[in-house]
Amino acid sequence: MTPFDYTRASSPAEASRLGREGATFIAGGTNLLDLMKLEIMTPDRLVDISRLELDGIDRTGDGGLRIGAMVRNSDLAADAIVRKHYPMLAKALLAGASGQLRNKATTGGNLLQRTRCYYFYDTAMPCNKREPGSGCQAIGGVTRLHAIFGASEHCIATHPSDMAVALRALDARVEIEGADGAVRNVGLDEFYRLPGDTPHIESILAPGDLITSVILPPPEEGRQTYRKVRDRASYAFALVSVAGRIRMEGGRIARAGFAFGGVAPRPWRDRDFEATLEGNEPSPALFERAADALVANASTHGDNAFKVPLLKRTAQAVLTELTES
Amino acid sequence: MQTRLHINGDDHQLDADARTTLLDALRNHLGLTGSKKGCDHGQCGACTVLVNGRRINSCLTLACMHDGDEIVTIEGLGAPGRLSALQQAFVHHDGFQCGYCTPGQICSATAMLEEIEAGWPSHVTSDVSGKAELTVDEISERMSGNLCRCSAYPNIVDAIMEVGKGRRG
């Protein structure tokens, strides 16, 4: 690791101020320290935000849920309200990492974890995300983990989080305290930026912006789940994953909320997929039509072509599971 | 940087560079070499210790972030002549070959059994809102952050199962 100064923030305002001055926040540190050891990230100042009192899980006035940014992944997955009313979120969290890592990893940090693209991790290789303008070796290289949606000619890396995929399907919003003290919240769809020609900029966060919580809308009736397909049965990143929820009314799908992981630079949502389902009676033919709509705009890069049929089948399997009597 | 660590019941004052991980502090500064460095990237679990009762990878956290924390390492769980139940069970079931991953396995399993008792679900728990049973699948999934390259897994699972069942009475 390159040397750095270490400060422990005593308040979100202090953290934001130091962040605006160029400091990097550290919470659980499970991803950041890994990247610092490899000198992929080389902050010269760390601000420890892990002891800020942002670790509550509380009902909101409208019956939703406010999850503090410092809530550990293991605590969130074990929370009784999450398990009962937002089970896809508990399942997504439990599908990620290991028991030890979930005990450290935080809600805010999980959202901001970096890609596991092999070329991003290999400092001997060019990478537009790590070194803007240096090029992308993944394109034309080994692409088993790479994106089929939302990528650009500059970067085809995927976002690795499971948690964020469930949050996207649940219409979560991210609450941010800015360096000026103003608090705003944005939907997860607006929170992540697609790579375009600036793949090193991954979210809308400006220097000093601190994630303070994630807010879930009130739970909806219906079924939900999270299914992850990976190379090992445990402790591996997703090849593809599906977070889905369905509310039925009179034998028809009244509402579908789906997000897909392992396939894009951010948790992927496709309104055509949901629109194809809504208002219709569930059937294998309908599910196939929806899955076809989902992958209609997929763009593959050699090795990752298998993700198109795998995503279709996984989506159809989840739809079947959520609608069978 | 000055950091106060409470380890296995004793107070330690650490004076180390901010870059020092908790694992390096334990091994290189405090002489507690029971915790092992395997991958040093949070992938193998050999460095697992308990911080405030929870299992974590000590290689992926800075010692200075743990000022005032309560840390238990394998040395604090037991010693020859007064082994913990899990240490005894690992011996009884031959839950190792080379032994390098064993301190991490035992620290991890110690906290993992507490997690099951506290009702935490896992990826293989069929109903996440229900109570997890102590099964081979549950133990394997919950211990997936601890690798054993000798592949002593069947005996590790047997050892953990014995202690887990004993606790559940």
Side-chain angles (χ1 to χ4, degrees):
Chain A
M1 276 187 257
T2 54
F4 54 82
D5 290 328
Y6 170 88
T7 316
R8 184 176 300 144
S10 54
S11 67
E14 185 191 9
S16 291
R17 181 177 56 75
L18 294 167
R20 191 173 49 185
E21 292 167 8
T24 298
F25 299 142
I26 185 165
T30 54
N31 187 215
L32 178 59
L33 287 170
D34 184 31
L35 293 166
M36 286 170 63
K37 287 182 181 192
L38 296 165
E39 299 193 358
I40 292 164
M41 290 181 75
T42 54
D44 49 27
R45 185 161 195 193
L46 284 188
V47 177
D48 182 353
I49 56 171
S50 66
R51 298 191 190 201
L52 295 181
E53 288 176 9
L54 298 171
D55 57 355
I57 303 175
D58 304 297
R59 289 274 197 185
T60 57
D62 66 354
L65 200 65
R66 174 186 298 274
I67 303 159
M70 290 304 116
V71 172
R72 299 304 198 252
N73 285 179
S74 50
D75 288 315
L76 188 54
D79 182 78
I81 295 172
V82 171
R83 288 158 69 186
K84 184 155 193 275
H85 297 291
Y86 306 96
M88 71 156 80
L89 176 56
K91 282 170 174 272
L93 285 158
L94 295 168
S98 67
Q100 290 97 317
L101 291 168
R102 291 192 294 270
N103 272 338
K104 283 299 271 180
T106 61
T107 308
N110 187 318
L111 289 176
L112 295 177
Q113 65 178 304
R114 311 293 304 275
T115 185
R116 268 36 173 223
C117 171
Y118 330 112
Y119 302 92
F120 174 71
Y121 261 80
D122 185 348
T123 51
M125 293 280 186
C127 168
N128 287 324
K129 197 183 266 303
R130 177 166 31 76
E131 236 176 284
S134 62
C136 173
Q137 287 284 307
I139 297 170
V142 176
T143 59
R144 184 167 176 78
L145 286 182
H146 291 78
I148 56 172
F149 300 121
S152 75
E153 60 188 284
H154 302 282
C155 183
I156 60 170
T158 49
H159 195 271
S161 173
D162 293 294
M163 180 195 80
V165 179
L167 290 179
R168 181 82 186 84
L170 290 168
D171 292 316
R173 298 184 71 79
V174 183
E175 187 182 82
I176 300 160
E177 182 168 329
D180 56 0
V183 175
R184 65 193 197 276
N185 75 64
V186 299
L188 212 52
D189 49 341
E190 313 154 59
F191 179 77
Y192 290 113
R193 289 177 45 142
L194 289 177
D197 58 4
T198 53
H200 58 293
I201 303 172
E202 295 170 354
S203 75
I204 57 147
L205 294 179
D209 278 351
L210 177 71
I211 298 174
T212 49
S213 59
V214 169
I215 299 162
L216 296 179
E220 277 193 32
E221 295 292 307
R223 286 193 202 168
Q224 52 178 265
T225 196
Y226 182 78
R227 185 179 291 202
K228 178 175 182 177
V229 183
R230 45 186 159 174
D231 281 329
R232 286 191 301 266
S234 185
Y235 203 13
F237 289 96
L239 295 169
V240 308
S241 71
V242 178
R245 59 191 170 98
I246 277 186
R247 180 167 56 83
M248 300 291 291
E249 253 176 42
R252 290 174 185 275
I253 297 172
R255 171 96 169 90
F258 278 75
F260 306 92
V263 291
R266 66 182 180 201
W268 196 248
R269 193 141 180 191
D270 188 306
R271 299 294 180 192
D272 288 345
F273 177 81
E274 293 168 13
T276 305
L277 295 165
E278 284 172 353
N280 289 307
E281 283 180 26
S283 72
L286 176 70
F287 298 162
E288 183 157 8
R289 209 162 76 234
D292 281 335
L294 171 63
V295 300
N297 297 316
S299 168
T300 62
H301 302 267
D303 291 342
N304 71 355
F306 75 93
K307 286 191 177 182
V308 172
L310 184 61
L311 180 63
K312 279 182 63 176
R313 289 182 195 132
T314 309
Q316 290 172 81
V318 167
L319 285 166
T320 304
E321 180 189 333
L322 293 178
T323 55
E324 67 194 356
S325 43
Chain B
M1 282 212 62
Q2 293 288 330
T3 306
R4 194 170 41 87
L5 299 171
H6 199 67
I7 306 169
N8 303 331
D10 296 326
D11 277 318
H12 294 266
Q13 194 69 30
L14 176 75
D15 183 10
D17 188 286
R19 289 173 288 182
T20 310
T21 62
L22 180 59
L23 175 63
D24 287 342
L26 293 170
R27 289 183 56 84
N28 302 343
H29 293 259
L30 303 170
L32 291 164
T33 54
S35 307
K36 296 293 184 273
K37 184 181 283 191
C39 68
D40 208 24
H41 287 277
Q43 297 170 2
C44 76
C47 67
T48 303
V49 301
L50 310 181
V51 174
N52 300 331
R54 295 210 171 176
R55 53 177 171 159
I56 67 161
N57 301 112
S58 63
C59 75
L60 276 191
T61 192
L62 298 171
C64 60
M65 295 179 77
H66 292 284
D67 192 54
D69 281 351
E70 194 76 40
I71 294 156
V72 176
T73 68
I74 189 72
E75 292 93 338
L77 288 179
R82 48 175 186 88
L83 298 181
S84 76
L86 270 164
Q87 287 172 319
Q88 190 63 60
F90 268 66
V91 172
H92 177 71
H93 289 277
D94 197 17
F96 40 75
Q97 287 184 39
C98 82
Y100 196 79
C101 72
T102 310
Q105 298 277 3
I106 291 177
C107 284
S108 188
T110 300
M112 184 275 280
L113 289 173
E114 303 272 344
E115 292 167 7
I116 293 189
E117 269 181 36
W120 289 14
S122 87
H123 173 64
V124 298
T125 309
S126 53
D127 173 7
V128 288
S129 64
K131 190 166 169 51
E133 297 299 316
L134 188 71
T135 62
V136 170
D137 281 354
E138 284 283 357
I139 292 173
S140 301
E141 162 60 26
R142 290 167 189 265
M143 292 297 291
S144 71
N146 290 86
L147 306 187
C148 170
R149 291 296 76 179
C150 307
S151 255
Y153 297 115
N155 295 358
I156 292 171
V157 171
D158 287 348
I160 296 170
M161 182 70 89
E162 180 191 288
V163 175
K165 278 188 173 160
R167 282 181 170 213
R168 295 198 152 193

